[in-house]
Amino acid sequence: MQLDLNLLTALDALLEEGSVAGAAARLHVTAPAMSRSLGRIRKATGDQILVRTGRSMVPTARALAMRAEVHALVQQAHRLLSARQELDLAALERVFTVRWHDSLTAACGTALIAAVHRQAPGVQLRLTAEPGTDTPELRRGEVDLESSSGRSTLSGIRHRLIGRDRLVVAVRPGHPLTEGPLSLERYAAADHVTVSRRGRLHDPIDDALTTRGRERRVVAAGPTTAFALQLALDTDLVVTLPDAVTRATRDQLGLITLPLPLPSPDIPLYLQWHQRYDDDPAHTWLRDLATETVQALFPPPPASQEALTPGPGSDGYAPEPAQEG
């Protein structure tokens, strides 16, 4: 009998559960996938393994005879592999690629690099900018960890919600909008700059204004948050952007923060990675360290809290219509 570990694990589940559906649920795979595994097991063993009697399935005599040995083999293999997964951070040598939105890198990049170097001095960290278009690097393993304001719909991509942000308005000291309460009318009448890697002059704020019978004039689109904030400091342009991930930069520049004068949904922040790293202890360490670093900006929300989330094609860190993965 020639079976790989995946088929041995499937066989163990099938013999324990006594059904394709039960084994599939146990291993978190689809019933069709488990049926295909059963077919491969039957071909490899030359035995039916499970046969249908009425509305249920029962193991064959051969299956009953091998059940205890198969279970012992699977448990032994898992113990052996687990023993090899002991993580020694002091001896770890690896290059990780982290692709974050520029505002998140500015807010947390230094702290993440310092924490990584302190705990695992042999690890190298590559912080790269988000591209202007959606790319498959996460699936190909070229990017280890990615930030997103929406959950990916791509197969095999895992996500972790680590916080929710809110939109605020930033202007230079002495800006006319700082004189008195910021009304919707005064906000809409000002000149604005958007943050867009694609150079978009329109974002969801414009849609929200339209529903209220208002329209704003966007003078420019900046490719990064840092550029837009500097532009707001040097001119009378107004920039609307997430609060927590830009707070440190706004404070450094001395910008004035005003509340957005219209309701908007919270902005979720996700970390994403490929499922191939689920059981990788070094990657798990990096995910947890990145989560801890980012959550220092804001506490995680209750698990039951839901918000409108943009899809994987969203441009930057701003609210868009929900596209659940």
Side-chain angles (χ1 to χ4, degrees):
M1 178 175 68
Q2 295 182 351
L3 294 178
D4 63 26
L5 180 57
N6 288 331
L7 285 188
L8 274 175
T9 303
L11 176 57
D12 182 44
L14 285 164
L15 295 178
E16 289 289 319
E17 298 294 333
S19 73
V20 169
R26 176 173 170 173
L27 297 183
H28 306 289
V29 300
T30 63
M34 183 56 66
S35 292
R36 290 192 293 271
S37 295
L38 177 57
R40 293 173 60 195
I41 292 170
R42 285 170 169 169
K43 183 177 180 180
T45 61
D47 188 86
Q48 288 297 299
I49 303 299
L50 292 176
V51 293
R52 186 167 296 282
T53 58
R55 301 181 63 179
S56 62
M57 302 187 78
V58 296
T60 63
R62 173 90 182 275
L64 288 173
M66 69 170 70
R67 180 161 59 186
E69 186 175 359
V70 167
H71 185 70
L73 284 171
V74 169
Q75 293 303 309
Q76 182 182 1
H78 287 168
R79 285 194 298 270
L80 180 62
L81 293 176
S82 296
R84 292 178 178 175
Q85 292 182 350
E86 294 297 331
L87 182 62
D88 183 358
L89 290 176
L92 180 62
E93 294 186 0
R94 186 161 166 179
V95 178
F96 288 106
T97 299
V98 176
R99 186 165 68 191
W100 279 356
H101 189 270
D102 72 282
S103 60
L104 188 60
T105 299
C108 298
T110 300
L112 180 62
I113 291 173
V116 167
H117 185 68
R118 181 172 59 252
Q119 297 185 26
V123 168
Q124 295 174 286
L125 204 60
R126 299 173 64 242
L127 289 173
T128 65
E130 288 183 315
T133 56
D134 296 321
T135 57
E137 283 90 349
L138 204 62
R139 281 188 298 168
R140 294 201 300 253
E142 298 168 13
V143 171
D144 291 283
L145 200 59
E146 188 173 73
S147 71
S148 175
S149 55
R151 292 182 287 183
S152 175
T153 59
L154 299 176
S155 174
I157 302 302
R158 308 296 197 197
H159 65 269
R160 173 187 293 176
L161 177 63
I162 57 175
R164 296 185 188 274
D165 215 338
R166 63 187 181 91
L167 291 175
V168 294
V169 177
V171 296
R172 65 167 178 81
H175 193 283
L177 290 185
T178 62
E179 301 172 3
L182 180 58
S183 65
L184 183 61
E185 292 76 13
R186 297 178 67 211
Y187 172 79
D191 290 337
H192 296 257
V193 55
T194 61
V195 181
S196 173
R197 292 162 296 164
R198 300 174 177 88
R200 291 176 175 170
L201 296 169
H202 183 283
D203 67 25
I205 292 296
D206 298 283
D207 298 329
L209 287 171
T210 299
T211 62
R212 289 163 176 78
R214 303 290 177 181
E215 184 177 352
R216 66 174 180 169
R217 181 171 183 262
V218 176
V219 173
T224 66
T225 301
F227 174 82
L229 288 171
Q230 186 63 52
L231 190 61
L233 179 65
D234 296 336
T235 69
D236 276 345
L237 294 184
V238 175
V239 60
T240 304
L241 69 187
D243 177 31
V245 297
T246 65
R247 185 179 300 123
T249 304
R250 297 195 320 268
D251 290 345
Q252 289 171 3
L253 293 174
L255 289 165
I256 304 300
T257 300
L258 304 171
L260 182 66
L262 72 162
S264 65
D266 287 343
I267 310 166
L269 176 59
Y270 294 93
L271 291 184
Q272 298 188 144
W273 65 94
H274 194 274
Q275 65 182 7
R276 67 168 63 88
Y277 297 122
D278 282 352
D279 299 318
D280 182 330
H283 198 281
T284 300
W285 162 76
L286 177 66
R287 295 197 303 267
D288 292 343
L289 189 60
T291 298
E292 179 183 346
T293 302
V294 174
Q295 285 183 340
L297 297 177
F298 40 71
S304 61
Q305 184 178 346
E306 293 294 333
L308 297 179
T309 61
S314 63
D315 185 26
Y317 196 42
E320 293 184 7
Q323 294 182 17
E324 300 295 335

